[in-house]
Structures are given as structure tokens and as C-alpha cells.
Amino acid sequence: MLPQFLRRILRELYELFRGIDQAILEESVKGMKLEHAELEIVFLTIVLGPLVGVKTVPTYLGLELASSLRDELRLLFTRSARGDDVLADLMSELGVS
Amino acid sequence: MLADIVEARFQTSRPHVFMVLGKGGVGKTTISILLARELSEIGETLIISFDQAKHIVKYLRLPKAMDIVKVGENLYASQLDVDELARRLTAKYVDMLRELLPSLPVLNLEDVVDVVKYSPGVEEEVFMRSLVELYGDRRFKYIVIDTPPTGVALRTLLLPRIYNVWIESLIELRERIVSLRYIIARTLGRKFKLEDPALLRLYELKDSYSKLVKLLSDPQATSYIIVANPEPLPMYEMREVISTLEGKLDVKPKLIILNKVLPEDIAAKLGVLEQQKKAIEELSQMKYKSMIAGFMDRQPSSLEDVVELRKFIRPL
């Protein structure tokens, strides 16, 4: 039976390593998260572009897809309505100061 | 006789569609009605006009556009109203956009609504959707389509292929997005729903347009009849149509009809005899079945007149 202080130390060490492990995982997916965010914006731009003068896909093809992008559109417009600086967020992720 | 020439005895459960193509004013509606009348002697036939000149309404005394009306034994007719269909289509998308983007009026994006309503390509979109419905309409053995002017008709026929080019690129992009979501979720130990509504919709659209491309290119499903007059512009458009059908759709015209061919003495008096002979000669050199339709002594304006035209048609 381990003394209590040793058990506390071991517990703290376990939490420390779990935190490090989590940080490593987060770091490893950082690049993928950025690519994912970029590609989602690209996809939305392609689909809805014709409605605002950015000529991409045929207009009616974009409209057919728009209804299946509810969640992404809601997020995009919530952020723009809140005044979030989407561009600044993107630059920050890219490490541009 | 027309029905015999086009060998209209197909063994399929879906209707066989005859597309009658040609420059505006060459007599597409007249020939369409004549063909439909002959086909109705074999089985239930629908003649539907996509041409916004709406001659068929006058010829067949249709009460109003969009309704399918019985005009003879086994013969039904209808006139597509592009404006009404376009209005319904845009209303559906405008309602959807207002629901998806509730801040539309606040953000001054009402212009978006106008883009939907007045976007180029709305006619072709309406025609393409109507074609999909017609191929699935099992009430009829034959469907004869009096097509709109050549440019719109050809763009409509090519539209499903063009859409599929876009859809394949969008599928590639969307599959990458979904894979990234999956990898990120798995790596971080989070729950992840594999179904992506946008990707599923893309697969559905691809399947639907691929089926339409197949039907348009399948001689068992679709026959193309080209109508021309023995004049330079209609003959030029006839060549353009043949070139598009063969080059882009990989199909050949089933029959070419040279309409409004004048008796030689009258053609000579009008100074168009050489032009007419040249057109007939050109047609006879082509490797397609062709017919000549003589000039009636009056402009046909009813079903009875059109049926009389039978006396003036002969194989070339």
C-alpha cells in the first residue's frame, strides 16, 4: 500500500501526462482542422457564389445543394452577424500576426 | 408513313421520346403534330410543345397551357408554360433561401432573390426538369416534343452532362471535407456522424443526371427528327444540330425532313430553284433517312390541315 503523498504525486503525474497527450493530439490535428475550415469555406463559396456575383457552379446546381448545408450556413452567418472577424481568425490560425 | 419511316415499334416499358429539332419557323410544330397523329394510330401519344411561340395552342385549340388535353383517338396534347414553371421553380428556391438565411432582408440580400428569378439558364433548367418527368410518364407509349429554337434545345440536351462535370468536382471536394472531419473526430476521440447531407445530395444528383444522359443517348429511348427548309440558314442550323448530336451526344438523327419544298415552276419564278435543288442534293448525299414535304397551298392552322400534309410528304 503506497503512502498517500506518493499516490497524490502519481495521480498528478498521470494528469500531467494525460494533458501532454491531449496537447500532442490537438497539435497533430491543427493542420487538418485548418484545411477542413478552409475547404468548408471554399465549398460554400462555390455553391452560393453565383447568388452574389461570384460565377462558379451553375446557379440552379448551387441552389439544389444549399438546403443540405444548413448547419454550415447557420454557423457562417452567426459569425458574421456577431461581428467575428473571420479573416483575422484565419490569419491567426496560419500564424500571421 | 412518318411512323413507318421512324420505325416506331419499340419494346420498352417507358415512353419513347421523339425530339423534333430545327430553326424557328421551319415547320417543327406542323411536323410534330403530324408525327404524333400517326403515332397515335399505334399507341397512346402525347405531343408537348416546349416552344414558347405556342403555335400548338392555336393548331389544336388547347384551352390553356400546362393542361394535357385529349385532341383525338389516343392523342393528347399540351403546351409547356416556361414562365409559369420558372416562377414555380424560383418560388421554391426563394422560400428555401429565406428559411436558410433569415437575415436576408436585413443584410440587403434581396438582390439574391432577383438573381434566382432572372438567372441565365432558367429556361434550360425548366426544360431539363420537364424532360425528366416526361421520360417517367408511363401513361404514354410515345411522346413527341416540339422543341424550342435550336440554341436553347441543344443547350438543354447538353445540360445534364455539364452538370455532371461540376458535380464530380464537388464530390471530390466534399469527400475530402468529410474525411478530414472523420479523422479529426477519431483522433480527438469525439463522436462523429458519417452521413453528410450535402454529399448524399451530390450522389443523388449525379445518379439522376447520369440516367438522363443515358436516356438522351439511347436509340431505344429517344429519336431525333430534324426539320429544315431549303434555305441557307435552316440548312446551316440543320448541320449544326447534326454536329452536336453526333459530336456531343453520340447519336444520329433518325430522320431529316426538308419542309416547304416548292414546286419547281414556282421555285423558278421566285428565283430560288437552284437554292432548293442544292438543299435537296445535300440531303440526298447524307447518310440519314430523309423526306421531302411539299409546300401546301395554305398555311396549316388546325389538326385537319396538318393531317392533309400527309399527301405532300414523300421519302427522298
Side-chain angles (χ1 to χ4, degrees):
Chain A
M1 189 72 174
L2 284 171
Q4 199 162 353
F5 77 92
L6 207 54
R7 266 190 267 141
R8 213 173 35 243
I9 289 170
L10 284 172
R11 201 179 309 123
E12 292 296 323
L13 274 173
Y14 171 73
E15 290 298 330
L16 173 68
F17 284 123
R18 213 169 72 140
I20 292 170
D21 185 50
Q22 190 64 24
I24 292 170
L25 281 175
E26 292 277 350
E27 193 62 29
S28 70
V29 297
K30 204 172 164 184
M32 278 191 277
K33 275 183 165 181
L34 185 61
E35 187 189 350
H36 176 256
E38 283 178 351
L39 289 179
E40 279 203 334
I41 291 171
V42 164
F43 193 84
L44 284 174
T45 306
I46 290 173
V47 167
L48 294 180
L51 296 176
V52 292
V54 178
K55 195 69 185 150
T56 53
V57 291
T59 308
Y60 286 95
L61 187 54
L63 286 167
E64 275 293 320
L65 290 171
S67 64
S68 34
L69 294 168
R70 278 170 201 275
D71 293 342
E72 287 150 45
L73 279 170
R74 203 174 297 131
L75 184 64
L76 186 73
F77 281 90
T78 303
R79 290 176 77 185
S80 59
R82 273 204 330 250
D84 282 0
D85 189 338
V86 175
L87 188 59
D89 286 349
L90 187 60
M91 292 298 113
S92 164
E93 289 284 333
L94 291 168
V96 176
S97 52
Chain B
M1 198 205 313
L2 262 183
D4 296 326
I5 297 281
V6 298
E7 292 162 353
R9 312 243 173 212
F10 301 95
Q11 299 299 324
T12 58
S13 56
R14 64 169 74 251
H16 189 93
V17 172
F18 291 87
M19 302 252 189
V20 182
L21 299 150
K23 188 181 181 314
V26 295
K28 282 197 303 296
T29 305
T30 308
I31 297 295
S32 300
I33 294 173
L34 181 57
L35 175 62
R37 176 67 176 73
E38 291 201 9
L39 290 168
S40 70
E41 290 168 13
I42 307 171
E44 300 277 298
T45 301
L46 169 69
I47 170 167
I48 181 164
S49 179
F50 282 18
D51 193 347
Q52 294 311 284
K54 296 183 180 157
H55 296 304
I56 200 174
V57 172
K58 182 190 71 178
Y59 270 98
L60 302 178
R61 297 181 197 113
L62 302 180
K64 62 177 174 134
M66 300 298 288
D67 288 347
I68 293 178
V69 176
K70 187 166 187 178
V71 296
E73 187 71 30
N74 293 338
L75 181 61
Y76 298 79
S78 182
Q79 168 68 54
L80 213 69
D81 185 337
V82 170
D83 289 338
E84 173 58 22
L85 286 172
R87 190 198 63 75
R88 288 181 201 173
L89 184 65
T90 53
K92 169 186 146 189
Y93 286 126
V94 164
D95 288 345
M96 178 203 66
L97 283 174
R98 285 206 169 107
E99 193 215 320
L100 275 180
L101 308 169
S103 51
L104 204 66
V106 173
L107 295 175
N108 253 349
L109 291 175
E110 279 293 332
D111 290 344
V112 167
V113 171
D114 283 341
V115 168
V116 174
K117 278 184 189 169
Y118 303 115
S119 190
V122 67
E123 268 192 315
E124 289 85 343
E125 182 72 31
V126 160
F127 291 143
M128 186 180 66
R129 287 168 191 246
S130 300
L131 274 181
V132 171
E133 279 184 27
L134 286 171
Y135 277 107
D137 194 340
R138 311 224 167 191
R139 291 177 290 175
F140 304 104
K141 192 172 167 67
Y142 304 110
I143 295 177
V144 178
I145 298 178
D146 173 25
T147 62
T150 307
V152 177
L154 292 180
R155 279 196 300 276
T156 304
L157 295 177
L158 295 173
L159 197 56
R161 278 168 196 254
I162 292 165
Y163 271 21
N164 265 351
V165 170
W166 277 108
I167 285 170
E168 276 159 20
S169 297
L170 286 170
I171 285 176
E172 205 180 307
L173 177 55
R174 195 69 190 175
E175 282 177 346
R176 177 72 186 146
I177 290 170
V178 173
S179 318
L180 283 169
R181 262 192 222 150
Y182 174 73
I183 293 168
I184 291 166
R186 281 297 300 262
T187 306
L188 298 177
R190 291 181 195 157
K191 278 192 186 151
F192 176 74
K193 208 169 60 172
L194 207 56
E195 263 186 20
D196 178 65
L199 190 54
L200 288 174
R201 186 69 186 126
L202 281 166
Y203 291 144
E204 278 170 12
L205 289 171
K206 185 178 172 185
D207 185 51
S208 170
Y209 294 131
S210 299
K211 280 187 178 140
L212 184 55
V213 167
K214 220 172 155 190
L215 286 168
L216 291 172
S217 308
D218 180 3
Q220 288 297 308
T222 312
S223 295
Y224 296 90
I225 316 276
I226 305 176
V227 184
N229 295 160
E231 295 162 23
L233 280 180
M235 292 297 288
Y236 171 77
E237 279 204 24
M238 177 195 73
R239 283 181 231 115
E240 285 298 298
V241 171
I242 292 172
S243 168
T244 302
L245 289 180
E246 290 189 332
K248 304 286 184 196
L249 287 173
D250 197 25
V251 295
K252 297 189 186 309
K254 194 78 184 231
L255 176 65
I256 301 178
I257 299 176
L258 199 62
N259 194 22
K260 301 184 188 175
V261 174
L262 293 165
E264 281 199 4
D265 54 335
I266 297 177
K269 269 191 201 154
L270 294 172
V272 296
L273 182 61
E274 281 314 306
Q275 176 180 283
Q276 187 168 278
K277 278 182 172 174
K278 195 174 161 195
I280 294 172
E281 176 62 26
E282 183 180 341
L283 203 57
S284 66
Q285 301 291 326
M286 288 183 173
K287 47 191 189 295
Y288 313 110
K289 282 188 192 164
S290 45
M291 301 185 87
I292 285 186
F295 204 95
M296 275 179 79
D297 52 7
R298 66 186 181 288
Q299 183 79 351
S301 60
S302 66
L303 180 56
E304 294 72 29
D305 285 347
V306 170
V307 174
E308 259 210 56
L309 187 59
R310 269 171 153 171
K311 290 189 267 187
F312 296 83
I313 292 192
R314 60 175 175 85
L316 184 60

